[in-house]
Amino acid sequence: MILVTGGAGFIGANFVLDWLAQNNEAVINLDKLTYAGNLENLVALKDDPRHIFVQGDIGNTQLVEKLLAQHCPRAVVNFAAESHVDRSIHGPEDFIQTNIVGTFHLLETVRAYWSGLAEAEKAAFRFLHVSTDEVYGSLAQGEPAFSETKRYEPNSPYSASKAASDHLVRAYHHTYGLPVLTTNCSNNYGPYHFPEKLIPLMIVNALAGKPLPVYGDGQQIRDWLYVKDHCSAIRTVLAKGKLGEVYNIGGWNEKANLDIVHTVCTLLDQLRPRTDKKSYREQIAFVTDRPGHDRRYAIDARKIECELGWKPAETFETGIRKTVQWYLDNRDWVSHVQSGDYRKWVEKNYAGRAR
Ligand code: NAD
Ligand code: TYD
């Protein structure tokens, strides 16, 4: 079996669902269930004996030691993190605690477990660390996309904490020989995406008749990948990746934020037109920019494509249509995640931004 951390969050839950749909290898899912973790994402696995959910912190050494001894996983896939840039600006401490200190404790515990394995299991073991393209910093227009050798230049507390965790993972390979793999992926979108992030926020606000808050001039560029393609890339790296290597994951889909918002509005205009027949674009509101806002991210995905033979299955057009439809079909999921805490966050992040 494998141990997945953060498997009740957006990407982790998609990964666990896809993993168990594709093979019979069981998953222990360790997740702290912060505001971003949601067992409703995993409801399809409620009676599935191949999924063992454990609520807990990756930094809880005793708990992780116990889980490793009890279940003897052949791999750890580490998704657990604080993941939202705007929250890292309002309160960086949780990011330092989970993304840096938590990853450190996880590495230490896994290293002790791995050291005690028999030679064959030791050689086959993998620690796959899921990271982000944001560690590379911001690109100017025309600069080449991020390759795996691009210098780290993180600009937000979130990306700095992820960069630190990537360095620790690298060091555990070079110093102790821990068999690690690191993936740096671009922005994901798809089902179960918490509506604090751009695409789901725009969908749920549009449907609720609320403003669609575009930061600054809306011309910042992100490189979008459908979440299930990220999951297939992680499975590929886990199966075929070379030890100690880094793989950038992306779908060659650079888009400006405003274009993304326009696309979401156009799809909603077709699939769920407003009662007054006007376009959802009427709800777009330009608001004060994010401090230190990175202008452009872009992934050069040639290494994973050429060396491991991975390719995304979705284009942006097919993926975004599926995503908008998923939010239309899952209004209960949306209303359940919009709890008191969610409303407090929206108030905190957007109240002072109106222009
Ligand atoms: P998310 O915020 O939706 O989910 C994170 C999950 O981790 C939640 O279920 C949360 O409860 C859990 N968690 C947080 N702290 C924990 C702790 N101390 N111990 C155990 N569990 C804990 O995030 P996501 O978007 O699914 O991202 C998953 C990973 O992928 C992160 O490491 C993130 O940096 C990386 N990533 C995300 C994107 C993206 O676009 N969302 C892109 C590239 C990489
Ligand atoms: P986000 O989904 O937070 O991902 P990240 O910051 O990790 O790339 O934001 C994606 C882009 O959308 C980013 O440039 C910030 C912008 N954005 C808005 O314009 N308005 C919003 O309300 C949010 C949440 C993001």
Side-chain angles (χ1 to χ4, degrees):
M1 64 161 61
I2 62 168
L3 170 64
V4 169
T5 72
F10 163 48
I11 307 174
N14 276 287
F15 179 82
V16 171
L17 290 167
D18 287 3
W19 180 270
L20 292 173
Q22 308 232 340
N23 67 68
N24 267 329
E25 189 174 14
V27 173
I28 323 157
N29 185 348
L30 173 65
D31 194 297
K32 189 175 172 181
L33 296 182
T34 66
Y35 78 92
N38 182 359
L39 287 179
E40 249 185 271
N41 300 352
L42 300 161
V43 80
L45 303 174
K46 198 164 51 78
D47 299 317
D48 193 326
R50 299 170 306 163
H51 179 238
I52 301 162
F53 182 80
V54 179
Q55 183 173 6
D57 195 312
I58 54 167
N60 182 341
T61 305
Q62 277 179 340
L63 172 66
V64 178
E65 251 169 29
K66 196 178 99 196
L67 291 176
L68 293 170
Q70 202 177 342
H71 298 286
C72 304
R74 67 161 180 101
V76 173
V77 184
N78 183 31
F79 291 95
E82 290 293 337
S83 69
H84 189 33
V85 173
D86 291 318
R87 285 189 194 250
S88 83
I89 294 167
H90 285 279
E93 188 153 357
D94 286 348
F95 290 73
I96 307 307
Q97 204 51 46
T98 285
N99 300 0
I100 307 179
V101 182
T103 304
F104 159 69
H105 284 303
L106 182 66
L107 282 165
E108 271 295 90
T109 317
V110 170
R111 178 168 77 89
Y113 162 75
W114 170 77
S115 307
L117 291 175
E119 278 320 306
E121 281 87 53
K122 213 172 163 184
F125 186 80
R126 298 289 180 270
F127 182 97
L128 191 151
H129 179 62
V130 179
S131 192
T132 165
D133 59 356
E134 302 192 25
V135 297
Y136 296 121
S138 185
L139 291 168
Q141 202 54 47
E143 260 191 279
F146 302 134
S147 75
E148 289 78 0
T149 54
K150 163 81 175 64
R151 186 156 70 103
Y152 272 36
E153 291 178 287
N155 292 319
S156 72
Y158 164 64
S159 55
S161 67
K162 290 297 289 186
S165 68
D166 293 7
H167 291 324
L168 283 169
V169 170
R170 176 188 161 90
Y172 271 65
H173 177 66
H174 285 271
T175 305
Y176 305 112
L178 191 70
V180 308
L181 298 155
T182 298
T183 56
N184 293 87
C185 188
S186 59
N187 284 60
N188 285 211
Y189 65 99
Y192 307 110
H193 205 181
F194 194 76
E196 63 183 358
K197 306 276 171 72
L198 179 72
I199 289 179
L201 183 89
M202 294 300 153
I203 300 171
V204 306
N205 277 16
L207 293 171
K210 293 184 178 158
L212 308 180
V214 173
Y215 295 167
D217 63 2
Q219 293 309 310
Q220 303 83 4
I221 289 171
R222 298 291 182 265
D223 191 349
W224 294 92
L225 184 69
Y226 191 62
V227 62
K228 287 175 183 300
D229 282 324
H230 186 189
C231 296
S232 76
I234 292 170
R235 291 195 301 275
T236 303
V237 174
L238 190 59
K240 301 201 261 179
K242 283 204 205 111
L243 293 188
E245 296 273 323
V246 172
Y247 295 90
N248 284 356
I249 305 172
W252 309 97
N253 268 314
E254 286 185 60
K255 307 264 180 214
N257 292 341
L258 190 57
D259 293 337
I260 295 283
V261 178
H262 285 159
T263 303
V264 167
C265 290
T266 303
L267 283 167
L268 286 173
D269 289 341
Q270 290 166 16
L271 297 168
R272 188 65 53 88
R274 276 175 33 159
T275 45
D276 63 4
K277 306 288 178 231
K278 289 186 176 160
S279 171
Y280 286 97
R281 288 187 189 205
E282 302 262 324
Q283 290 165 235
I284 291 173
F286 289 91
V287 300
T288 306
D289 208 351
R290 172 187 279 173
H293 199 171
D294 284 339
R295 197 67 184 165
R296 173 176 166 239
Y297 303 141
I299 282 276
D300 178 342
R302 281 177 295 179
K303 179 174 175 184
I304 187 170
E305 289 178 358
C306 300
E307 293 185 15
L308 306 186
W310 172 85
K311 276 233 180 309
E314 302 291 343
T315 62
F316 185 73
E317 288 63 34
T318 59
I320 192 69
R321 184 172 279 276
K322 283 184 182 177
T323 303
V324 171
Q325 191 62 57
W326 189 88
Y327 281 85
L328 288 171
D329 295 342
N330 289 275
R331 301 302 293 275
D332 283 351
W333 182 92
V334 171
S335 69
H336 295 165
V337 299
Q338 289 176 318
S339 64
D341 272 358
Y342 177 78
R343 286 197 288 275
K344 272 189 225 151
W345 163 252
V346 170
E347 174 65 17
K348 188 175 188 176
N349 193 42
Y350 296 98
R353 278 202 142 100
R355 277 207 313 231

